[in-house]
Amino acid sequence: MKSTVFSVAAFAAVAAAAPAKNNLLAVRQSAPAITDGVILNYALTLEHLEDKFYREVLDKFSESDFEEAGFPAPFYANLKTVSKDESTHVSFLTAALKAANVTPVEECTYDFGLTSVNMSIATASILEGVGVSAYLGAAADIMSKNYLTAAGSILTVESRHSAYIRDALAQSPFPSPFDAPLTYNEVYTLAAPFIKSCPSTNPPLPVKAFPMLTASPENPKTVTSGTKITLLTDGYTVKPADGQSQIYAAFITVTGPVFAEATPVEGGFSLTVPTADEGKAPVAGQMYVVLTGCNTVVTDETTAAGPAVVEVTPS
Protein backbone atom coordinates (compact mmCIF):
# COMPACT_ATOMS: atom_id res chain seq x y z
CA MET A 1 0.00 0.00 0.00
CA LYS A 2 1.28 3.46 -0.86
CA SER A 3 2.14 5.39 2.29
CA THR A 4 2.22 9.16 2.69
CA VAL A 5 4.61 10.66 5.24
CA PHE A 6 3.29 13.60 7.24
CA SER A 7 5.48 15.89 9.31
CA VAL A 8 3.90 17.08 12.54
CA ALA A 9 5.51 20.45 11.90
CA ALA A 10 4.00 20.74 8.44
CA PHE A 11 0.34 20.91 9.33
CA ALA A 12 -0.72 22.55 6.09
CA ALA A 13 0.34 19.46 4.16
CA VAL A 14 -1.26 17.18 6.72
CA ALA A 15 -4.63 18.89 6.66
CA ALA A 16 -4.76 18.99 2.89
CA ALA A 17 -4.04 15.31 2.39
CA ALA A 18 -6.71 13.26 4.15
CA PRO A 19 -6.61 9.52 3.44
CA ALA A 20 -8.55 8.04 0.54
CA LYS A 21 -11.19 6.70 2.94
CA ASN A 22 -12.40 10.26 3.42
CA ASN A 23 -14.88 10.67 0.57
CA LEU A 24 -16.03 14.17 1.50
CA LEU A 25 -15.83 16.89 -1.08
CA ALA A 26 -12.65 18.94 -0.91
CA VAL A 27 -12.75 21.83 1.52
CA ARG A 28 -13.64 25.02 -0.27
CA GLN A 29 -11.11 27.77 0.28
CA SER A 30 -13.87 30.37 0.11
CA ALA A 31 -15.70 28.94 3.11
CA PRO A 32 -17.36 31.62 5.25
CA ALA A 33 -16.32 32.83 8.67
CA ILE A 34 -18.05 31.37 11.73
CA THR A 35 -21.47 32.99 12.20
CA ASP A 36 -24.63 31.80 13.91
CA GLY A 37 -25.98 30.78 10.50
CA VAL A 38 -22.87 28.73 9.79
CA ILE A 39 -23.07 27.08 13.23
CA LEU A 40 -26.72 26.18 12.70
CA ASN A 41 -25.87 24.64 9.33
CA TYR A 42 -22.99 22.76 10.95
CA ALA A 43 -25.44 21.40 13.53
CA LEU A 44 -27.95 20.60 10.79
CA THR A 45 -25.28 18.65 8.90
CA LEU A 46 -24.80 16.43 11.95
CA GLU A 47 -28.52 16.09 12.59
CA HIS A 48 -29.11 15.04 8.98
CA LEU A 49 -26.49 12.33 9.44
CA GLU A 50 -28.02 11.04 12.67
CA ASP A 51 -31.55 11.26 11.29
CA LYS A 52 -30.70 9.23 8.20
CA PHE A 53 -28.67 6.74 10.26
CA TYR A 54 -31.57 5.84 12.55
CA ARG A 55 -34.04 5.67 9.69
CA GLU A 56 -31.79 3.24 7.86
CA VAL A 57 -31.26 1.12 10.99
CA LEU A 58 -35.00 0.87 11.64
CA ASP A 59 -35.68 0.09 7.98
CA LYS A 60 -33.03 -2.65 7.87
CA PHE A 61 -33.66 -4.42 11.19
CA SER A 62 -36.94 -5.51 12.78
CA GLU A 63 -37.92 -5.61 16.43
CA SER A 64 -37.27 -9.36 16.41
CA ASP A 65 -33.79 -8.74 15.00
CA PHE A 66 -33.07 -6.51 17.98
CA GLU A 67 -34.44 -9.05 20.44
CA GLU A 68 -32.32 -11.82 18.92
CA ALA A 69 -29.27 -9.56 19.21
CA GLY A 70 -29.88 -9.06 22.93
CA PHE A 71 -31.87 -5.82 22.92
CA PRO A 72 -35.31 -6.81 24.27
CA ALA A 73 -38.39 -4.58 24.47
CA PRO A 74 -38.77 -1.69 24.95
CA PHE A 75 -35.41 -0.92 23.28
CA TYR A 76 -36.76 -1.00 19.72
CA ALA A 77 -39.65 1.30 20.61
CA ASN A 78 -37.30 3.68 22.40
CA LEU A 79 -34.97 3.70 19.40
CA LYS A 80 -37.94 4.84 17.31
CA THR A 81 -38.32 7.75 19.73
CA VAL A 82 -34.64 8.59 19.35
CA SER A 83 -35.09 8.54 15.58
CA LYS A 84 -38.10 10.85 15.84
CA ASP A 85 -36.08 13.23 18.02
CA GLU A 86 -33.39 13.48 15.36
CA SER A 87 -35.98 14.12 12.64
CA THR A 88 -37.47 16.86 14.81
CA HIS A 89 -34.04 18.43 15.28
CA VAL A 90 -33.64 18.51 11.48
CA SER A 91 -37.02 20.20 11.03
CA PHE A 92 -36.34 22.72 13.79
CA LEU A 93 -32.88 23.75 12.53
CA THR A 94 -34.11 23.93 8.93
CA ALA A 95 -36.95 26.24 9.94
CA ALA A 96 -34.65 28.39 12.07
CA LEU A 97 -32.22 28.85 9.18
CA LYS A 98 -35.01 29.75 6.74
CA ALA A 99 -36.40 32.25 9.26
CA ALA A 100 -32.95 33.86 9.38
CA ASN A 101 -32.79 33.97 5.56
CA VAL A 102 -29.95 31.44 5.51
CA THR A 103 -30.05 28.53 3.07
CA PRO A 104 -30.16 25.28 5.06
CA VAL A 105 -27.95 22.37 4.04
CA GLU A 106 -29.77 19.36 2.65
CA GLU A 107 -29.27 15.69 3.49
CA CYS A 108 -26.16 14.09 2.00
CA THR A 109 -25.62 10.56 0.71
CA TYR A 110 -24.22 8.24 3.36
CA ASP A 111 -22.75 4.78 3.77
CA PHE A 112 -23.09 3.51 7.34
CA GLY A 113 -22.09 -0.07 6.56
CA LEU A 114 -24.96 -1.55 8.55
CA THR A 115 -24.08 -5.23 8.78
CA SER A 116 -25.62 -6.19 12.14
CA VAL A 117 -27.76 -4.89 14.97
CA ASN A 118 -24.84 -4.89 17.40
CA MET A 119 -22.58 -2.97 15.05
CA SER A 120 -25.38 -0.49 14.37
CA ILE A 121 -25.95 0.23 18.06
CA ALA A 122 -22.21 0.56 18.68
CA THR A 123 -22.13 3.13 15.87
CA ALA A 124 -25.20 4.87 17.33
CA SER A 125 -23.39 5.23 20.64
CA ILE A 126 -20.40 6.86 18.97
CA LEU A 127 -22.59 9.21 16.91
CA GLU A 128 -24.56 10.34 19.94
CA GLY A 129 -21.37 10.99 21.89
CA VAL A 130 -19.91 12.97 19.00
CA GLY A 131 -23.15 14.94 18.77
CA VAL A 132 -22.89 15.96 22.41
CA SER A 133 -19.26 17.00 21.96
CA ALA A 134 -20.06 18.90 18.77
CA TYR A 135 -22.74 21.06 20.38
CA LEU A 136 -20.55 21.58 23.43
CA GLY A 137 -17.60 22.67 21.30
CA ALA A 138 -19.67 25.11 19.23
CA ALA A 139 -21.55 26.67 22.15
CA ALA A 140 -18.96 29.36 22.88
CA ASP A 141 -19.21 30.69 19.31
CA ILE A 142 -22.99 31.19 19.28
CA MET A 143 -23.81 34.89 19.56
CA SER A 144 -27.61 34.76 19.80
CA LYS A 145 -28.91 33.90 23.25
CA ASN A 146 -32.01 32.34 21.68
CA TYR A 147 -29.91 30.10 19.44
CA LEU A 148 -27.64 29.21 22.35
CA THR A 149 -30.60 28.15 24.47
CA ALA A 150 -32.05 26.12 21.59
CA ALA A 151 -28.69 24.42 20.96
CA GLY A 152 -28.39 23.67 24.68
CA SER A 153 -31.83 22.06 24.68
CA ILE A 154 -30.77 19.79 21.80
CA LEU A 155 -27.47 18.97 23.51
CA THR A 156 -29.22 17.72 26.66
CA VAL A 157 -31.45 15.43 24.59
CA GLU A 158 -28.45 14.07 22.69
CA SER A 159 -26.80 13.40 26.03
CA ARG A 160 -29.83 11.39 27.19
CA HIS A 161 -29.75 9.42 23.94
CA SER A 162 -26.08 8.70 24.54
CA ALA A 163 -26.62 7.56 28.13
CA TYR A 164 -29.50 5.27 27.16
CA ILE A 165 -27.60 3.60 24.34
CA ARG A 166 -24.43 3.25 26.40
CA ASP A 167 -26.42 1.52 29.12
CA ALA A 168 -27.90 -0.87 26.54
CA LEU A 169 -24.33 -1.74 25.50
CA ALA A 170 -23.41 -2.48 29.14
CA GLN A 171 -21.23 0.64 29.28
CA SER A 172 -21.44 3.21 32.03
CA PRO A 173 -24.23 5.65 31.05
CA PHE A 174 -22.37 8.48 32.79
CA PRO A 175 -18.66 7.54 32.85
CA SER A 176 -17.37 11.04 33.60
CA PRO A 177 -18.57 14.16 35.41
CA PHE A 178 -17.62 16.12 32.27
CA ASP A 179 -18.22 15.80 28.53
CA ALA A 180 -15.46 16.68 26.08
CA PRO A 181 -15.88 19.53 23.56
CA LEU A 182 -14.69 19.01 20.00
CA THR A 183 -13.72 21.57 17.37
CA TYR A 184 -15.54 21.85 14.04
CA ASN A 185 -12.68 20.12 12.24
CA GLU A 186 -12.47 17.29 14.78
CA VAL A 187 -16.19 16.58 14.42
CA TYR A 188 -15.96 16.83 10.63
CA THR A 189 -13.13 14.29 10.66
CA LEU A 190 -15.27 11.80 12.60
CA ALA A 191 -18.25 12.34 10.27
CA ALA A 192 -16.15 12.01 7.10
CA PRO A 193 -16.15 8.20 6.73
CA PHE A 194 -19.95 8.09 6.60
CA ILE A 195 -20.50 10.86 4.04
CA LYS A 196 -20.14 9.86 0.41
CA SER A 197 -21.38 13.03 -1.30
CA CYS A 198 -23.46 16.13 -0.63
CA PRO A 199 -25.67 18.32 -2.84
CA SER A 200 -23.60 20.88 -4.74
CA THR A 201 -26.12 23.51 -3.67
CA ASN A 202 -25.30 23.08 0.04
CA PRO A 203 -23.72 26.20 1.56
CA PRO A 204 -19.98 25.64 2.23
CA LEU A 205 -18.85 25.10 5.80
CA PRO A 206 -15.47 26.38 7.09
CA VAL A 207 -14.24 22.91 8.04
CA LYS A 208 -11.61 20.41 6.95
CA ALA A 209 -10.92 16.78 7.78
CA PHE A 210 -7.70 15.62 9.39
CA PRO A 211 -6.14 12.29 8.40
CA MET A 212 -8.12 9.43 9.90
CA LEU A 213 -6.90 7.84 13.11
CA THR A 214 -8.52 4.69 14.47
CA ALA A 215 -8.23 2.45 17.51
CA SER A 216 -6.78 -0.95 16.63
CA PRO A 217 -9.30 -3.82 16.75
CA GLU A 218 -6.53 -5.75 18.54
CA ASN A 219 -6.69 -3.43 21.56
CA PRO A 220 -7.93 -5.02 24.81
CA LYS A 221 -11.72 -5.22 25.04
CA THR A 222 -11.61 -3.31 28.32
CA VAL A 223 -9.40 -0.22 28.28
CA THR A 224 -8.62 1.75 31.43
CA SER A 225 -5.97 4.28 32.39
CA GLY A 226 -2.70 2.36 32.29
CA THR A 227 -3.77 0.09 29.41
CA LYS A 228 -1.43 -0.10 26.42
CA ILE A 229 -3.27 0.49 23.13
CA THR A 230 -2.46 1.04 19.47
CA LEU A 231 -3.77 3.77 17.19
CA LEU A 232 -3.69 3.07 13.45
CA THR A 233 -2.63 5.47 10.69
CA ASP A 234 -3.92 3.57 7.68
CA GLY A 235 -2.09 4.50 4.49
CA TYR A 236 0.05 7.30 5.91
CA THR A 237 2.84 7.89 8.43
CA VAL A 238 3.30 10.70 10.92
CA LYS A 239 6.90 11.68 11.65
CA PRO A 240 8.48 14.65 13.48
CA ALA A 241 9.97 17.28 11.19
CA ASP A 242 13.42 16.91 12.75
CA GLY A 243 13.22 13.12 12.71
CA GLN A 244 13.69 12.78 16.46
CA SER A 245 11.21 14.87 18.46
CA GLN A 246 8.52 13.11 20.49
CA ILE A 247 5.05 12.57 19.08
CA TYR A 248 2.20 12.61 21.59
CA ALA A 249 -1.30 11.20 21.80
CA ALA A 250 -3.54 13.85 23.33
CA PHE A 251 -6.77 12.78 25.06
CA ILE A 252 -9.19 15.70 24.77
CA THR A 253 -11.05 16.82 27.90
CA VAL A 254 -12.89 19.99 28.87
CA THR A 255 -10.19 20.88 31.42
CA GLY A 256 -7.41 20.46 28.89
CA PRO A 257 -5.72 17.63 27.00
CA VAL A 258 -4.03 14.76 28.79
CA PHE A 259 -0.90 13.64 26.96
CA ALA A 260 0.81 10.29 26.49
CA GLU A 261 4.03 9.63 24.63
CA ALA A 262 3.29 7.80 21.38
CA THR A 263 5.75 5.21 20.09
CA PRO A 264 5.85 4.41 16.35
CA VAL A 265 4.89 0.82 15.52
CA GLU A 266 3.99 -0.86 12.26
CA GLY A 267 0.83 0.80 10.99
CA GLY A 268 0.55 3.43 13.69
CA PHE A 269 1.51 4.27 17.27
CA SER A 270 1.38 2.52 20.62
CA LEU A 271 0.80 4.33 23.89
CA THR A 272 -0.36 3.86 27.44
CA VAL A 273 -3.69 5.47 28.31
CA PRO A 274 -2.82 8.28 30.74
CA THR A 275 -4.39 9.36 34.02
CA ALA A 276 -5.59 12.95 34.42
CA ASP A 277 -4.26 15.09 37.25
CA GLU A 278 -6.38 15.38 40.37
CA GLY A 279 -9.09 17.99 40.02
CA LYS A 280 -9.21 17.64 36.22
CA ALA A 281 -11.71 15.88 33.97
CA PRO A 282 -10.85 12.17 34.03
CA VAL A 283 -9.79 10.08 31.06
CA ALA A 284 -12.99 8.03 30.99
CA GLY A 285 -15.89 7.22 28.69
CA GLN A 286 -15.89 7.98 24.97
CA MET A 287 -12.53 9.67 24.59
CA TYR A 288 -11.15 11.46 21.55
CA VAL A 289 -7.43 11.15 20.82
CA VAL A 290 -5.30 13.12 18.36
CA LEU A 291 -1.65 12.86 17.36
CA THR A 292 0.42 15.98 17.87
CA GLY A 293 3.97 17.18 18.27
CA CYS A 294 2.97 19.50 21.11
CA ASN A 295 2.50 18.45 24.73
CA THR A 296 1.01 21.66 26.14
CA VAL A 297 -2.09 22.47 24.06
CA VAL A 298 -4.20 20.95 21.29
CA THR A 299 -5.43 23.16 18.48
CA ASP A 300 -6.33 22.55 14.86
CA GLU A 301 -2.88 23.94 14.01
CA THR A 302 -1.04 21.41 16.19
CA THR A 303 -3.13 18.36 15.28
CA ALA A 304 -1.48 15.95 12.84
CA ALA A 305 -4.16 13.24 12.78
CA GLY A 306 -7.36 12.18 14.42
CA PRO A 307 -9.33 12.16 16.52
CA ALA A 308 -9.67 8.46 17.15
CA VAL A 309 -12.50 7.27 19.38
CA VAL A 310 -11.33 5.19 22.36
CA GLU A 311 -13.75 3.87 24.98
CA VAL A 312 -12.06 4.10 28.38
CA THR A 313 -13.71 2.32 31.31
CA PRO A 314 -13.68 4.46 34.49
CA SER A 315 -11.12 3.23 37.01
PDB file of all heavy atoms in Angstrom, residues 192-205:
ATOM      1  N   ALA A 192     -16.610  12.216   8.473  1.00  0.00           N
ATOM      2  CA  ALA A 192     -16.149  12.010   7.099  1.00  0.00           C
ATOM      3  C   ALA A 192     -16.346  10.596   6.559  1.00  0.00           C
ATOM      4  O   ALA A 192     -16.795  10.435   5.416  1.00  0.00           O
ATOM      5  CB  ALA A 192     -14.670  12.408   6.985  1.00  0.00           C
ATOM      6  N   PRO A 193     -16.035   9.546   7.313  1.00  0.00           N
ATOM      7  CA  PRO A 193     -16.151   8.202   6.732  1.00  0.00           C
ATOM      8  C   PRO A 193     -17.564   7.809   6.330  1.00  0.00           C
ATOM      9  O   PRO A 193     -17.737   6.906   5.505  1.00  0.00           O
ATOM     10  CB  PRO A 193     -15.641   7.293   7.865  1.00  0.00           C
ATOM     11  CG  PRO A 193     -14.809   8.169   8.733  1.00  0.00           C
ATOM     12  CD  PRO A 193     -15.472   9.503   8.672  1.00  0.00           C
ATOM     13  N   PHE A 194     -18.566   8.456   6.899  1.00  0.00           N
ATOM     14  CA  PHE A 194     -19.950   8.094   6.604  1.00  0.00           C
ATOM     15  C   PHE A 194     -20.522   8.846   5.398  1.00  0.00           C
ATOM     16  O   PHE A 194     -21.506   8.417   4.817  1.00  0.00           O
ATOM     17  CB  PHE A 194     -20.845   8.376   7.812  1.00  0.00           C
ATOM     18  CG  PHE A 194     -20.451   7.635   9.057  1.00  0.00           C
ATOM     19  CD1 PHE A 194     -19.940   8.316  10.159  1.00  0.00           C
ATOM     20  CD2 PHE A 194     -20.580   6.258   9.134  1.00  0.00           C
ATOM     21  CE1 PHE A 194     -19.579   7.638  11.311  1.00  0.00           C
ATOM     22  CE2 PHE A 194     -20.221   5.569  10.276  1.00  0.00           C
ATOM     23  CZ  PHE A 194     -19.716   6.255  11.372  1.00  0.00           C
ATOM     24  N   ILE A 195     -19.936   9.988   5.060  1.00  0.00           N
ATOM     25  CA  ILE A 195     -20.498  10.864   4.036  1.00  0.00           C
ATOM     26  C   ILE A 195     -19.845  10.572   2.693  1.00  0.00           C
ATOM     27  O   ILE A 195     -18.637  10.692   2.540  1.00  0.00           O
ATOM     28  CB  ILE A 195     -20.309  12.346   4.412  1.00  0.00           C
ATOM     29  CG1 ILE A 195     -20.925  12.629   5.789  1.00  0.00           C
ATOM     30  CG2 ILE A 195     -20.924  13.245   3.344  1.00  0.00           C
ATOM     31  CD1 ILE A 195     -20.688  14.029   6.289  1.00  0.00           C
ATOM     32  N   LYS A 196     -20.660  10.187   1.733  1.00  0.00           N
ATOM     33  CA  LYS A 196     -20.141   9.863   0.408  1.00  0.00           C
ATOM     34  C   LYS A 196     -20.193  11.058  -0.535  1.00  0.00           C
ATOM     35  O   LYS A 196     -19.296  11.263  -1.337  1.00  0.00           O
ATOM     36  CB  LYS A 196     -20.943   8.694  -0.185  1.00  0.00           C
ATOM     37  CG  LYS A 196     -20.881   7.426   0.647  1.00  0.00           C
ATOM     38  CD  LYS A 196     -19.460   6.898   0.758  1.00  0.00           C
ATOM     39  CE  LYS A 196     -18.964   6.825   2.176  1.00  0.00           C
ATOM     40  NZ  LYS A 196     -17.606   6.323   2.321  1.00  0.00           N
ATOM     41  N   SER A 197     -21.255  11.836  -0.470  1.00  0.00           N
ATOM     42  CA  SER A 197     -21.385  13.033  -1.304  1.00  0.00           C
ATOM     43  C   SER A 197     -22.487  13.905  -0.729  1.00  0.00           C
ATOM     44  O   SER A 197     -23.338  13.428   0.024  1.00  0.00           O
ATOM     45  CB  SER A 197     -21.706  12.672  -2.758  1.00  0.00           C
ATOM     46  OG  SER A 197     -22.981  12.058  -2.853  1.00  0.00           O
ATOM     47  N   CYS A 198     -22.445  15.180  -1.077  1.00  0.00           N
ATOM     48  CA  CYS A 198     -23.463  16.132  -0.625  1.00  0.00           C
ATOM     49  C   CYS A 198     -23.952  16.953  -1.812  1.00  0.00           C
ATOM     50  O   CYS A 198     -23.225  17.117  -2.804  1.00  0.00           O
ATOM     51  CB  CYS A 198     -22.893  17.067   0.448  1.00  0.00           C
ATOM     52  SG  CYS A 198     -22.463  16.248   1.996  1.00  0.00           S
ATOM     53  N   PRO A 199     -25.171  17.489  -1.740  1.00  0.00           N
ATOM     54  CA  PRO A 199     -25.670  18.321  -2.838  1.00  0.00           C
ATOM     55  C   PRO A 199     -24.743  19.492  -3.113  1.00  0.00           C
ATOM     56  O   PRO A 199     -24.249  20.143  -2.179  1.00  0.00           O
ATOM     57  CB  PRO A 199     -27.033  18.793  -2.326  1.00  0.00           C
ATOM     58  CG  PRO A 199     -27.455  17.733  -1.347  1.00  0.00           C
ATOM     59  CD  PRO A 199     -26.185  17.297  -0.683  1.00  0.00           C
ATOM     60  N   SER A 200     -24.505  19.774  -4.370  1.00  0.00           N
ATOM     61  CA  SER A 200     -23.603  20.876  -4.737  1.00  0.00           C
ATOM     62  C   SER A 200     -24.167  22.228  -4.326  1.00  0.00           C
ATOM     63  O   SER A 200     -23.436  23.218  -4.242  1.00  0.00           O
ATOM     64  CB  SER A 200     -23.350  20.863  -6.245  1.00  0.00           C
ATOM     65  OG  SER A 200     -24.565  21.016  -6.964  1.00  0.00           O
ATOM     66  N   THR A 201     -25.477  22.260  -4.066  1.00  0.00           N
ATOM     67  CA  THR A 201     -26.117  23.514  -3.665  1.00  0.00           C
ATOM     68  C   THR A 201     -25.991  23.796  -2.173  1.00  0.00           C
ATOM     69  O   THR A 201     -26.378  24.871  -1.714  1.00  0.00           O
ATOM     70  CB  THR A 201     -27.613  23.474  -4.029  1.00  0.00           C
ATOM     71  OG1 THR A 201     -28.202  22.289  -3.472  1.00  0.00           O
ATOM     72  CG2 THR A 201     -27.790  23.455  -5.547  1.00  0.00           C
ATOM     73  N   ASN A 202     -25.458  22.849  -1.399  1.00  0.00           N
ATOM     74  CA  ASN A 202     -25.304  23.081   0.040  1.00  0.00           C
ATOM     75  C   ASN A 202     -24.327  24.220   0.297  1.00  0.00           C
ATOM     76  O   ASN A 202     -23.255  24.280  -0.331  1.00  0.00           O
ATOM     77  CB  ASN A 202     -24.792  21.820   0.731  1.00  0.00           C
ATOM     78  CG  ASN A 202     -25.907  20.867   1.103  1.00  0.00           C
ATOM     79  OD1 ASN A 202     -27.061  21.108   0.803  1.00  0.00           O
ATOM     80  ND2 ASN A 202     -25.549  19.768   1.753  1.00  0.00           N
ATOM     81  N   PRO A 203     -24.667  25.132   1.214  1.00  0.00           N
ATOM     82  CA  PRO A 203     -23.722  26.197   1.557  1.00  0.00           C
ATOM     83  C   PRO A 203     -22.423  25.593   2.085  1.00  0.00           C
ATOM     84  O   PRO A 203     -22.441  24.584   2.799  1.00  0.00           O
ATOM     85  CB  PRO A 203     -24.452  26.981   2.657  1.00  0.00           C
ATOM     86  CG  PRO A 203     -25.896  26.643   2.481  1.00  0.00           C
ATOM     87  CD  PRO A 203     -25.927  25.233   1.971  1.00  0.00           C
ATOM     88  N   PRO A 204     -21.258  26.172   1.750  1.00  0.00           N
ATOM     89  CA  PRO A 204     -19.984  25.639   2.232  1.00  0.00           C
ATOM     90  C   PRO A 204     -19.825  25.873   3.733  1.00  0.00           C
ATOM     91  O   PRO A 204     -20.331  26.855   4.279  1.00  0.00           O
ATOM     92  CB  PRO A 204     -18.941  26.429   1.444  1.00  0.00           C
ATOM     93  CG  PRO A 204     -19.635  27.717   1.118  1.00  0.00           C
ATOM     94  CD  PRO A 204     -21.072  27.368   0.902  1.00  0.00           C
ATOM     95  N   LEU A 205     -19.156  24.962   4.378  1.00  0.00           N
ATOM     96  CA  LEU A 205     -18.848  25.100   5.801  1.00  0.00           C
ATOM     97  C   LEU A 205     -17.337  25.268   5.969  1.00  0.00           C
ATOM     98  O   LEU A 205     -16.564  24.618   5.264  1.00  0.00           O
ATOM     99  CB  LEU A 205     -19.320  23.867   6.574  1.00  0.00           C
ATOM    100  CG  LEU A 205     -20.824  23.606   6.591  1.00  0.00           C
ATOM    101  CD1 LEU A 205     -21.122  22.286   7.307  1.00  0.00           C
ATOM    102  CD2 LEU A 205     -21.567  24.745   7.262  1.00  0.00           C
TER     103      LEU A 205
END
